[in-house]
Amino acid sequence: GEDVEQSLFLSVREGDSSVINCTYTDSSSTYLYWYKQEPGAGLQLLTYIFSNMDMKQDQRLTVLLNKKDKHLSLRIADTQTGDSAIYFCAGGRGNQGGKLIFGQGTELSVKP
Amino acid sequence: DADVTQTPRNRITKTGKRIMLECSQTKGHDRMYWYRQDPGLGLRLIYYSFDVKDINKGEISDGYSVSRQAQAKFSLSLESAIPNQTALYFCATSDPREGSNQPQHFGDGTRLSIL
């Protein structure tokens, strides 16, 4: 079946870059998403990338997609303590399906 | 997302009880979803509905049922709660008119504990 895998924890120092990795098995996913979950809250869409793109940059966020290896990464530049949260990658087919398959979530801890 | 409201926010109950979790939205979206979140497992889809007359099972629907009472309301029921249904439950909505990537908008979750 479809599967999305992430490492569970990442710890960085404030000001460093964070890289959160994700692998997926469903090559029919047309969109790959990154959602952020802060404590006590639901998930918020951070960014997404269409499957025919290799890279997408949005301010401090850079998404890299290696479609051959089915590997997705999220880089957060100049990580701040407010970036501490759980980050989920998810695959979906956008308007063709609407459903998402989520990874386990990576808990990012940013130390001052 | 403040436009997706889940009630209650927290619930503690006993094994065997019937529980209903409610979700209402003011976004005018046709598509609604119920997920559960467990530590280390991420979010798993329980049920989804693409309009009022359309209900579909997700990957873990056993032990759950849903009702789409109106476009704005989608309820999740546990007919006879068991301890391994203790989890954080999320409702989400989406709309293809928001773009082909069709982002999902999440409520703040219901923390359910079954003793």
Side-chain angles (χ1 to χ4, degrees):
Chain A
E2 301 162 6
D3 198 16
V4 179
E5 297 277 337
Q6 297 177 243
S7 54
L8 295 182
F9 300 100
L10 176 65
S11 180
V12 301
R13 291 243 173 244
E14 192 173 20
D16 288 349
S17 292
S18 308
V19 179
I20 302 171
N21 293 301
C22 173
T23 57
Y24 61 97
T25 58
D26 184 10
S27 57
S28 66
S29 292
T30 49
Y31 288 93
L32 292 141
Y33 304 82
W34 285 103
Y35 281 83
K36 178 182 180 182
Q37 183 184 30
E38 295 183 354
L43 280 68
Q44 286 183 290
L45 179 66
L46 265 186
T47 187
Y48 67 93
I49 188 167
F50 189 52
S51 59
N52 69 354
M53 297 169 65
D54 298 322
M55 185 181 88
K56 180 177 181 182
Q57 189 148 2
D58 184 0
Q59 298 182 351
R60 291 191 296 124
L61 305 178
T62 303
V63 180
L64 296 177
L65 176 60
N66 181 329
K67 201 171 179 183
K68 174 176 167 287
D69 294 337
K70 298 193 179 73
H71 182 265
L72 180 74
S73 67
L74 173 70
R75 179 176 179 270
I76 305 173
D78 187 24
T79 313
Q80 303 297 306
T81 54
D83 294 323
S84 293
I86 301 177
Y87 291 81
F88 291 93
C89 70
R93 300 180 190 179
N95 283 349
Q96 298 169 25
K99 296 184 295 175
L100 296 178
I101 303 295
F102 284 87
Q104 302 94 322
T106 299
E107 184 173 350
L108 174 65
S109 173
V110 182
K111 301 190 186 313
Chain B
D1 192 320
D3 296 329
V4 183
T5 303
Q6 292 184 234
T7 55
R9 290 296 314 276
N10 292 280
R11 179 80 185 267
I12 300 173
T13 191
K14 294 182 179 179
T15 298
K17 294 290 188 182
R18 185 177 188 275
I19 306 297
M20 180 181 284
L21 308 184
E22 305 205 15
C23 178
S24 62
Q25 50 117 344
T26 57
K27 301 186 81 67
H29 289 175
D30 284 330
R31 299 184 176 190
M32 298 185 75
Y33 310 81
W34 274 106
Y35 295 91
R36 66 176 278 177
Q37 182 182 9
D38 298 277
L41 294 179
L43 274 74
R44 292 179 291 166
L45 183 63
I46 306 172
Y47 270 94
Y48 63 102
S49 168
F50 281 179
D51 66 39
V52 174
K53 296 178 183 174
D54 176 76
I55 304 285
N56 303 281
K57 291 183 178 180
E59 58 180 309
I60 53 160
S61 58
D62 287 350
Y64 301 95
S65 62
V66 290
S67 172
R68 186 79 185 266
Q69 301 96 321
Q71 186 205 40
K73 294 183 183 296
F74 192 35
S75 301
L76 177 72
S77 294
L78 288 68
E79 297 302 324
S80 179
I82 55 177
N84 76 1
Q85 292 176 311
T86 292
L88 186 54
Y89 289 83
F90 286 103
C91 174
T93 72
S94 73
D95 191 325
R97 292 170 296 178
E98 286 200 341
S100 57
N101 64 309
Q102 200 183 154
Q104 293 194 10
H105 301 266
F106 286 81
D108 286 339
T110 294
R111 187 168 296 279
L112 179 62
S113 297
I114 298 161
L115 306 177

